[in-house]
Amino acid sequence: MNGFQQIDKLSGVAGAAALVVLAVAPLVFPGNYLIGVLTVAAIYGIWAVSWDFMSGLTGRENFGHSLFIGVGAYVAGVVNVQMELGPWWSLPASMLLAVAFALLLGFPTLRLKGPYFALAMLSAAVIMQRLMLIFWEYTGGEEGIQDIAPLIRNNLHYYWFVLVVLAATTFILSWMARSRWGLILRAIRGDEATCLAAGIPITTYKIVSLVISAAFAGLGGALYAHYQLQVSPQLFAVVTSVTIITMVYVGGMGTIYGPVGGALLLTLLTEGLRNFGEWRLMIYSLLLIFILFFLPNGFIAPLWKRVRSGWGDRA
Amino acid sequence: MSSVLLEVDSVDKHFGGLHAVKQVSMQIRRGEIVGILGPNGAGKTTLFNMLTNFIPPDNGRVIFNGQSLQGVKPHKIVTLGIARTFQLCRPFVGLSVLENVLVGSLGPRVRHDGLGDRAMQLLKQVGLEAKAHTPSELLSYGDLRRLEIARALAAEPELLLLDEPFAGLGSSEIEAISSLIRQLHAEKQLTILLIEHKLREFMQLVSRVIALDFGEVIAEGSPAEIVAHPKVIEAYIGKQTEMAVHHAA
Amino acid sequence: MEILIYGAVTSAIYAMLAVGFTLIFGVARVLNLAHGSFYALGAYGTYVLTSIVGLPLWLAALLAIAGVSVFGVVVEKALIRPLRYSQLGVLMITLAVSLVVEQALFLIFGSEYRNVPAFIDTKVSIGGVDVAGQRLLTLVVAVVAIGALYLFIQRTRLGSAILAISQDAEAAKYMGIPSDRIFSLVMAISAALAALAGVLAGPFLSVQPSMHLLPIVKAFAIVIVGGLGSIPGSILAALMLGYAETLVAYLISTSWTEIVSVLATLLTLVFRPAGIFGKRAAF
């Protein structure tokens, strides 16, 4: 026995089943609208899972995840439109640049105790947003970069591609979270000083998990750019980060799979709220307050755990 | 291989105006169990913090296994072979007992195969086997101490620093932990340095005592010698600690 | 000369924002991300009370500040206190509050810039430079307000209680100091200062629903540089940042002013994380 949790058969089966359902849904309910919504939901899923891997496990909450998303998206735009390279080049380029930012921001802030990391990330995202506007000659300002080429022209096929990326992301990060890496991250959440005494270079681990988190977030950003076919400074907005954090809360912090459910649920909810137009963000924020008070452990993951133990009793 | 495992050479520490540790020197030989005695505020924990470089000394050196610890980062200390427990038990909240011990063995010093089995072995030795999958924050105080010890041992140290292992425990618990320490010392060829201010159990456990007061060494010797030492008595009578109680008992 | 005055005005506004932010952190260990909202509400409140309700400007301003103070206390009691066990829970909830406020302002007022009337419309000439009277007023009021706060903390019993709690909350409780009530008081002061900044700066800085973000970013940069929890640190850092930005705006271009706070924050975090006067080093 090597002592680490494994992804057990039941979870694996459930995950595969969910994947199949998601893939098949647009065939059952045809129409570009559903495909669009599900594509966006899947991309949010990638963002939520990447956030959970770092912040959900270590407890060091990153309030500027939108920075990595925006960077990934803008890189896709620049590479595709301004550098006129083929669209597939965006993916590695986005991840690379997101990683660079993660290192730049992570180094000074993650070795410190206290709220510095969270606030620095928040400030960085806000400042990036402003910078996109200030240097409008390069970034297109308010309107951003337009006319990005799609990766795959067929909407349905692109959706399936995104779904595959989501599945891969979730699987990889889940696996890591259950390995000794995840154990260390959770120990860091438990007590940093004791980790040091046990010989763990906590700052290194924190920075590396931020880098991994950023890489996937940037990838999601590029995927988003190639879906929307344009990018704007709005991507850097605090609202994006908060939405993702809400999804993770709803899904269950630190579970990795929960946030996927959270992303799906909240994206569908947002679509349903379209009728409320401008009230959407307001409702979202109020929802967040509600969740913080009444559902700090989330909704999706606890539900799944209860279903599982019910199953276990029967088996 | 020299017989002196740890050499502390005139370490000194100021905290602002407070001279917490004054030129303390000591030599710990391989295989000893040495106790550091002193009333609260004597500088014992600060000393431990300096031995593990959590706080670097202002002056003086700490030499372990012939190597100076100066400039060695706190998380590398374990790699060299020193493990410590903390006065206030700090389990990894959110992790099970087994996972806590596992984390202790993840440093580069330990072989990487069979970690789970080794962790369970340790839990067996400290008597926590049955609670392996309990969330660690739910443990009783006595069990937390055992967990602390198991976690420290997971790194397979040569030198084990125990910071007040008996604090907050009842006398039967103290007895149990004490014999556990003795057992582990014999089985694993550890060198142990422990801080306590509860005299009686301490006296039966250690072979040598170093007494501190106000940051400096006031006496050194066997337990019997220390108990009779005038300076030690003076330090304690002035503070009315368990010494009087234990001697009366 | 222009730089001297404009720099001072900018510093004054920043100082008011930063002092309030660092005060509530130093005393209650609360990082209030809704602090910017107090600033915004001060400006909008004055706008509503004077342009819509028709009250005289000075009255509108006072009421707005008082209202924001009360709002701050309500937020503290109802939302922040229950989550105090988790510093990050506090960050989340205050962030959520700031978003709700921003959305509410957007829904009610729309996204165009609003005009908050100035107290002093005329320009004043100092040392050969024409300065808007409003800006000078801001400077003067800021100095008075912060000076008053300083005296309050140093000279009154209540002030000593605040100092005591900021040094050791547990010990203060044992001494019978009613920490909870003091937290509310400090929050009220913090909110009032931010609202005051909004009222004074509204006429010459932009008033729109997302105006709360930049103050938070600036306040954060200032308290990092000055040291979290240190009022003198915040004042000093506010001066440094205010002047640095003004210099950059004059010598390079206004677009580059953001970089100043970014650089300052990054440099501080890398070289001296505790800030200038930080008493709690971050590690």
Side-chain angles (χ1 to χ4, degrees):
Chain A
M1 187 239 306
N2 82 353
F4 303 109
Q5 292 174 285
Q6 308 292 347
I7 301 180
D8 59 44
K9 289 230 172 68
L10 191 56
S11 300
V13 168
L19 188 61
V20 169
V21 167
L22 282 173
V24 164
L27 296 174
V28 173
F29 301 101
N32 272 326
Y33 178 66
L34 183 64
I35 295 178
V37 171
L38 287 177
T39 309
V40 171
I43 295 177
Y44 265 99
I46 296 174
W47 290 336
V49 167
S50 61
W51 191 89
D52 196 29
F53 179 71
M54 199 266 168
S55 299
L57 290 180
T58 63
R60 311 294 246 106
E61 298 196 5
N62 170 7
F63 275 80
H65 208 50
S66 58
L67 185 136
F68 303 130
I69 293 173
V71 163
Y74 264 84
V75 165
V78 166
V79 160
N80 192 235
V81 172
Q82 296 177 352
M83 292 171 67
E84 291 178 10
L85 293 171
W88 290 91
W89 284 99
S90 318
L91 302 185
S94 304
M95 290 177 80
L96 212 61
L97 233 357
V99 163
F101 271 91
L103 287 170
L104 179 67
L105 290 165
F107 256 111
T109 56
L110 283 173
R111 57 194 171 99
L112 306 173
K113 273 199 294 205
Y116 295 94
F117 170 63
L119 285 183
M121 291 303 304
L122 177 67
S123 301
V126 170
I127 288 175
M128 274 303 269
Q129 191 176 14
R130 300 270 310 169
L131 287 176
M132 290 296 124
L133 291 170
I134 290 173
F135 292 105
W136 52 269
E137 299 116 357
Y138 305 102
T139 63
E142 221 21 276
E143 304 195 330
I145 303 178
Q146 317 267 352
D147 294 327
I148 301 179
L151 277 172
I152 298 176
R153 282 189 195 281
N154 181 314
N155 282 345
L156 184 58
H157 296 165
Y158 189 58
Y159 167 58
W160 283 340
F161 173 63
V162 172
L163 214 53
V164 165
V165 174
L166 172 64
T169 307
T170 309
F171 180 70
I172 294 173
L173 294 181
S174 263
W175 184 78
M176 283 191 81
R178 279 153 186 58
S179 74
R180 80 184 52 194
W181 194 282
L183 187 60
I184 291 177
L185 292 182
R186 286 189 296 137
I188 290 176
R189 177 190 207 143
D191 192 312
E192 288 196 0
T194 313
C195 282
L196 281 178
I200 296 171
I202 56 181
T203 306
T204 310
Y205 273 92
K206 283 189 277 185
I207 293 179
V208 173
S209 34
L210 182 67
V211 162
I212 295 175
S213 167
F216 283 104
L219 178 63
L223 289 174
Y224 190 73
H226 284 291
Y227 165 73
Q228 292 280 25
L229 306 183
Q230 60 158 359
V231 295
S232 78
Q234 261 309 95
L235 277 171
F236 286 101
V238 177
V239 163
T240 310
S241 303
V242 174
T243 306
I244 293 170
I245 298 179
T246 312
M247 291 172 174
V248 175
Y249 262 102
V250 164
M253 278 248 232
T255 58
I256 310 286
Y257 64 86
V260 177
L264 268 163
L265 201 63
L266 285 182
T267 309
L268 291 171
L269 182 68
T270 309
E271 279 310 304
L273 286 178
R274 255 199 201 285
N275 304 319
F276 291 91
E278 300 173 327
W279 285 83
R280 250 201 313 163
L281 285 172
M282 170 72 102
I283 296 181
Y284 238 85
S285 313
L286 290 171
L287 181 67
L288 179 59
I289 297 182
F290 174 79
I291 292 174
L292 283 169
F293 272 93
F294 297 112
L295 286 175
N297 284 327
F299 171 69
I300 306 264
L303 188 65
W304 168 243
K305 286 182 188 160
R306 216 181 292 178
V307 163
R308 272 189 61 166
S309 41
W311 224 298
D313 287 347
R314 240 178 286 167
Chain B
M1 202 156 74
S2 135
S3 68
V4 174
L5 185 62
L6 180 71
E7 178 161 351
V8 180
D9 187 11
S10 300
V11 297
D12 204 88
K13 187 70 191 172
H14 286 89
F15 288 120
L18 174 66
H19 201 171
V21 173
K22 297 177 191 160
Q23 310 246 313
V24 167
S25 294
M26 60 180 72
Q27 288 189 339
I28 311 293
R29 280 175 282 283
R30 242 171 252 283
E32 283 194 286
I33 304 184
V34 178
I36 298 188
L37 185 68
N40 283 324
K44 313 185 295 275
T45 302
T46 310
L47 183 62
F48 258 27
N49 283 336
M50 288 195 282
L51 294 181
T52 50
N53 249 349
F54 263 69
I55 301 178
D58 291 336
N59 287 308
R61 300 177 304 163
V62 178
I63 301 174
F64 178 72
N65 242 336
Q67 184 184 350
S68 166
L69 291 187
Q70 192 169 37
V72 175
K73 293 215 180 118
H75 69 263
K76 290 244 164 41
I77 297 285
V78 152
T79 324
L80 296 175
I82 306 178
R84 74 170 286 184
T85 64
F86 288 89
Q87 198 171 348
L88 287 170
C89 282
R90 293 147 78 152
F92 291 127
V93 174
L95 267 57
S96 72
V97 166
L98 178 63
E99 288 175 328
N100 264 267
V101 176
L102 271 174
V103 174
S105 60
L106 290 177
R109 188 180 161 80
V110 178
R111 276 179 358 255
H112 276 236
D113 43 295
L115 282 180
D117 291 323
R118 266 213 300 269
M120 277 307 275
Q121 269 285 47
L122 278 169
L123 285 181
K124 227 182 278 196
Q125 280 182 307
V126 302
L128 282 178
E129 191 187 352
K131 301 191 181 156
H133 297 288
T134 321
S136 55
E137 60 267 25
L138 297 180
L139 289 183
S140 70
Y141 219 70
D143 284 340
L144 273 177
R145 293 253 170 243
R146 292 169 198 273
L147 178 57
E148 283 266 316
I149 293 175
R151 195 168 57 187
L153 288 175
E156 300 191 355
E158 286 185 68
L159 175 65
L160 183 61
L161 302 176
L162 297 172
D163 194 340
E164 301 208 20
F166 304 135
L169 297 181
S171 50
S172 61
E173 277 286 8
I174 294 179
E175 209 26 75
I177 301 271
S178 193
S179 61
L180 175 63
I181 295 176
R182 245 172 300 174
Q183 191 187 335
L184 291 168
H185 171 250
E187 283 175 23
K188 293 184 185 288
Q189 295 148 347
L190 290 168
T191 308
I192 300 182
L193 187 58
L194 69 101
I195 295 177
E196 247 314 325
H197 61 260
K198 286 204 175 107
L199 280 189
R200 182 165 59 170
E201 296 70 23
F202 183 78
M203 293 315 193
Q204 292 166 353
L205 189 53
V206 307
S207 57
R208 188 155 66 96
V209 178
I210 300 174
L212 285 184
D213 194 20
F214 287 119
E216 41 184 3
V217 176
I218 56 174
E220 203 174 323
S222 75
E225 290 168 0
I226 288 294
V227 159
H229 199 292
K231 274 202 185 148
V232 173
I233 296 176
E234 185 188 318
Y236 271 82
I237 296 286
K239 283 142 197 174
Q240 292 207 341
T241 61
E242 285 103 308
M243 183 165 177
V245 174
H246 279 248
H247 264 262
Chain C
M1 190 55 189
E2 270 186 350
I3 296 183
L4 198 60
I5 298 179
Y6 280 112
V9 172
T10 313
S11 308
I13 300 173
Y14 286 166
M16 277 194 285
L17 288 168
V19 166
F21 190 63
T22 214
L23 187 64
I24 191 75
F25 180 79
V27 173
R29 297 286 178 267
V30 163
L31 273 164
N32 178 15
L33 290 179
H35 196 63
S37 301
F38 298 150
Y39 170 76
L41 286 171
Y44 268 97
T46 311
Y47 167 73
V48 165
L49 288 172
T50 182
S51 300
I52 298 182
V53 174
L55 294 177
L57 188 55
W58 63 270
L59 183 60
L62 274 172
L63 283 177
I65 294 174
V68 172
S69 259
V70 169
F71 175 66
V73 174
V74 166
V75 164
E76 193 265 328
K77 277 212 167 112
L79 297 177
I80 297 179
R81 216 175 281 178
L83 289 174
R84 281 199 63 205
Y85 59 85
S86 158
Q87 191 165 56
L88 298 164
V90 170
L91 279 171
M92 289 291 288
I93 196 96
T94 54
L95 189 60
V97 166
S98 76
L99 285 173
V100 169
V101 168
E102 175 180 348
Q103 285 308 304
L105 289 173
F106 174 67
L107 289 167
I108 302 176
F109 298 103
S111 59
E112 333 90 53
Y113 289 55
R114 294 283 161 161
N115 252 319
V116 178
F119 281 95
I120 301 180
D121 260 327
T122 57
K123 289 204 187 306
V124 176
S125 190
I126 294 189
V129 175
D130 280 336
V131 184
Q134 179 69 12
R135 289 182 196 254
L136 270 184
L137 182 66
T138 306
L139 178 57
V140 170
V141 172
V143 170
V144 168
I146 295 182
L149 180 64
Y150 178 75
L151 284 174
F152 171 68
I153 293 190
Q154 296 288 341
R155 300 285 171 85
T156 68
R157 259 187 19 168
L158 211 43
S160 319
I162 294 178
L163 272 178
I165 297 184
S166 72
Q167 283 177 358
D168 191 336
E170 283 290 304
K173 237 186 243 190
Y174 291 139
M175 297 202 308
I177 297 179
S179 333
D180 286 347
R181 267 189 283 164
I182 303 264
F183 291 152
S184 301
L185 174 66
V186 170
M187 188 58 138
I189 297 177
S190 170
L193 267 176
L196 181 60
V199 165
L200 289 169
F204 59 86
L205 289 179
S206 56
V207 176
Q208 27 87 20
S210 63
M211 68 190 283
H212 67 106
L213 276 176
L214 228 26
I216 270 290
V217 171
K218 297 283 165 71
F220 172 60
I222 292 173
V223 301
I224 290 286
V225 172
L228 262 177
S230 158
I231 294 186
S234 300
I235 299 177
L236 185 58
L239 276 165
M240 287 168 63
L241 202 73
Y243 271 102
E245 285 195 358
T246 313
L247 275 168
V248 165
Y250 268 87
L251 297 175
I252 309 180
S253 88
T254 46
S255 331
W256 284 74
T257 50
E258 316 294 353
I259 316 277
V260 176
S261 30
V262 176
L263 268 179
T265 313
L266 263 176
L267 286 172
T268 311
L269 285 176
V270 171
F271 293 111
R272 196 191 159 89
I276 301 177
F277 292 129
K279 32 189 175 146
R280 311 164 66 219
F283 217 139

